[in-house]
């Protein structure tokens, strides 16, 4: 029995714009509206507008909401200031990553956890189970939010024209309630593109009005609607991990070079602590593989799952790969044996359907904004 993909509040608008739609994590989502390369470059140089309403919002309220999250996640969320956000992860008892998350502290006793669409139910179930015994209520808020992102160097100017919120005072990884184009919203300075930008959490019934207002406000600045395809190449250039690729239940935060998100110094025990302490020790002494960037010297594009080789021997595996519109070359992220992971290591190739194509090992990210 097959289930029809879910549709966001902006579905009719995407179709009216001629978007190519695709099934993503059970949602019918826009893949692209025209040229994914043009959409990518618009975000790098001007601004892009994204529908991210497939993401999963979960709210925890109550006097022990922070302590419950400290127990359930690897981060120290009770120490998060009201109005700020933090990138963190939820792990299995064995240390494997169930999902990477952004957590917003909305009030003294209120937090919002944003999970990836593909893992939202898993995260909801795990948080509900792990919060038992704490004075907190875990609420599934997925039906209560639409999420629209405006990303790129022109995004602050565009958003300022339709809100009186203090965007200049809004730091990276912070959020504040405000009104945008007459619509109540949580305005967050977060994103998944490597550029400055904002994510706007609104009621689904307000999503179309907000999208149209931002489209009009951004017309002179070159704002374009953007699909999931360019979102992936943007995050890839920025070296940002994607769950199911760089992050899985078979990897720990330390395997992915993201051990900094694990806070061993917080009060109390947390799920996965013992396994993650062992993973931290392994990563410090003799890591088996490291996550690296690869840049092609040729034109052939690597894809997830392709073997990385050196001297004809497999030394790693590509987790994500695509042509980079910014660099003008194919790029990839890969887990590679530590002996071949140093930037500049020679003799590293990607086996692309039997042809061993040469690649340069580089440090991540491939792209970092300077403004």
């Amino acid at each position: 029995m097959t289930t029809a993909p879910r549709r966001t509040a902006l579905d009719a608008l995407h179709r009216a714009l001629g978007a190519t739609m695709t099934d993503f994590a059970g949602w019918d989502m826009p893949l692209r509206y025209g040229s994914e390369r043009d959409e990518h470059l618009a975000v790098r140089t001007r601004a892009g507008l994204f529908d991210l309403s497939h993401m999963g919002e979960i709210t925890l309220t109550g006097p022990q909401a922070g302590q419950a999250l400290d127990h359930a996640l690897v981060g120290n969320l009770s120490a998060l200031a009201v109005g700020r956000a933090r990138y963190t992860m939820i792990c299995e008892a064995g240390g494997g990553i169930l999902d990477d998350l952004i957590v917003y502290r909305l009030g003294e006793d209120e937090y919002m956890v944003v999970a990836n669409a593909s893992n939202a139910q898993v995260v909801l179930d795990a948080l509900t189970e792990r919060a038992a015994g704490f004075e907190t209520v875990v609420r599934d808020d997925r039906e209560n939010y639409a999420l629209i992102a405006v990303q790129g160097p022109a995004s602050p100017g565009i958003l300022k024209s339709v809100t009186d919120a203090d965007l200049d005072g809004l730091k990276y990884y912070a959020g504040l309630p405000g009104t945008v184009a007459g619509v109540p919203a949580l305005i967050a300075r977060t994103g998944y593109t490597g550029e400055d930008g904002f994510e706007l959490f609104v009621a689904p019934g307000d999503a179309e009005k907000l999208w149209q207002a931002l489209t009009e406000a951004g017309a002179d600045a070159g704002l374009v609607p953007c699909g999931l395809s360019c979102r992936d190449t943007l995050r890839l250039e920025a070296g940002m991990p994607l769950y199911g690729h760089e992050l899985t239940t078979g990897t720990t935060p330390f395997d992915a070079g993201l051990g900094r998100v694990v806070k061993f110094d917080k009060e109390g025990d947390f799920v996965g602590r013992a396994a993650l302490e062992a993973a931290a020790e392994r990563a410090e002494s003799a890591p088996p593989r490291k996550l690296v960037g690869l840049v092609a010297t040729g034109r052939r594009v690597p894809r997830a799952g392709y073997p990385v080789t050196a001297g004809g021997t497999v030394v790693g595996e590509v987790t994500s790969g695509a042509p980079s519109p910014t660099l003008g070359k194919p790029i990839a992220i890969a887990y590679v044996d530590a002996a071949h992971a140093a930037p500049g290591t020679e003799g590293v190739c990607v086996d692309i359907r039997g042809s061993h194509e040469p690649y340069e090992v580089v440090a991540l990210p491939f792209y970092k904004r300077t403004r």
Side-chain angles (χ1 to χ4, degrees), residues 31-327:
L31 186 65
R32 68 180 74 83
Y33 297 85
S35 161
E36 54 201 49
R37 180 179 181 276
D38 289 348
E39 292 172 21
H40 178 112
L41 294 175
V43 176
R44 285 280 177 259
T45 59
R46 303 185 306 278
L49 194 60
F50 296 83
D51 178 11
L52 306 179
S53 302
H54 60 313
M55 301 295 281
E57 296 85 7
I58 302 161
T59 303
L60 279 80
T61 56
Q64 290 190 313
Q67 291 95 314
L69 287 171
D70 286 349
H71 170 69
L73 311 181
V74 301
N76 187 3
L77 286 313
S78 62
L80 190 62
V82 173
R84 297 307 303 265
R86 184 162 294 164
Y87 176 77
T88 186
M89 295 181 186
I90 182 168
C91 290
E92 299 176 316
I97 302 167
L98 285 171
D99 201 13
D100 61 335
L101 313 163
I102 295 181
V103 178
Y104 298 86
R105 189 167 191 174
L106 304 181
E108 192 62 34
D109 297 333
E110 183 178 8
Y111 295 77
M112 182 171 70
V113 177
V114 181
N116 286 297
S118 57
N119 296 326
Q121 189 63 48
V122 170
V123 173
L124 175 64
D125 292 344
L127 286 176
T128 302
E129 179 185 340
R130 296 176 188 188
F134 292 90
E135 289 184 69
T136 186
V137 174
V138 180
R139 185 176 71 238
D140 181 359
D141 265 347
R142 286 176 286 178
E143 299 292 338
N144 297 324
Y145 287 106
L147 178 56
I148 295 173
V150 55
Q151 299 278 300
S155 59
I158 293 169
L159 195 56
K160 280 179 185 178
S161 71
V162 290
T163 185
D164 57 4
D166 179 18
L167 299 187
D168 290 334
L170 187 63
K171 297 178 181 177
Y172 186 50
Y173 266 70
L176 81 167
T179 301
V180 183
V183 169
L186 170 65
I187 305 167
R189 200 163 205 155
T190 46
Y192 195 50
T193 63
E195 297 296 338
D196 192 9
F198 304 86
E199 295 182 322
L200 309 171
F201 296 84
V202 299
D206 291 331
E208 193 165 326
K209 177 184 177 182
L210 179 57
W211 180 282
Q212 297 286 25
L214 289 167
T215 298
E216 292 169 16
D220 291 342
L223 175 80
V224 301
C226 294
L228 292 181
S229 185
C230 85
R231 188 168 186 250
D232 188 52
T233 53
L234 288 160
R235 72 92 194 167
L236 178 57
E237 288 183 350
M240 295 176 169
L242 175 63
Y243 194 86
H245 291 252
E246 289 71 43
L247 309 177
T248 68
T249 53
T251 57
T252 72
F254 296 94
D255 295 327
L258 293 167
R260 64 182 181 276
V261 306
V262 182
K263 305 301 182 185
F264 292 121
D265 57 351
K266 62 180 174 178
E267 287 186 20
D269 196 11
F270 64 92
V271 178
R273 176 190 275 274
L276 290 170
E277 285 175 338
E281 202 170 301
R282 287 195 305 273
E284 187 70 30
S285 57
R289 284 187 169 178
K290 291 186 175 182
L291 202 61
V292 302
L294 300 174
V295 178
T297 57
R299 308 303 304 173
R300 298 192 68 184
V301 179
R303 298 298 181 190
Y306 284 10
V308 179
T309 65
T313 301
V314 174
V315 297
E317 183 177 299
V318 171
T319 54
S320 297
S324 165
T326 304
L327 276 63

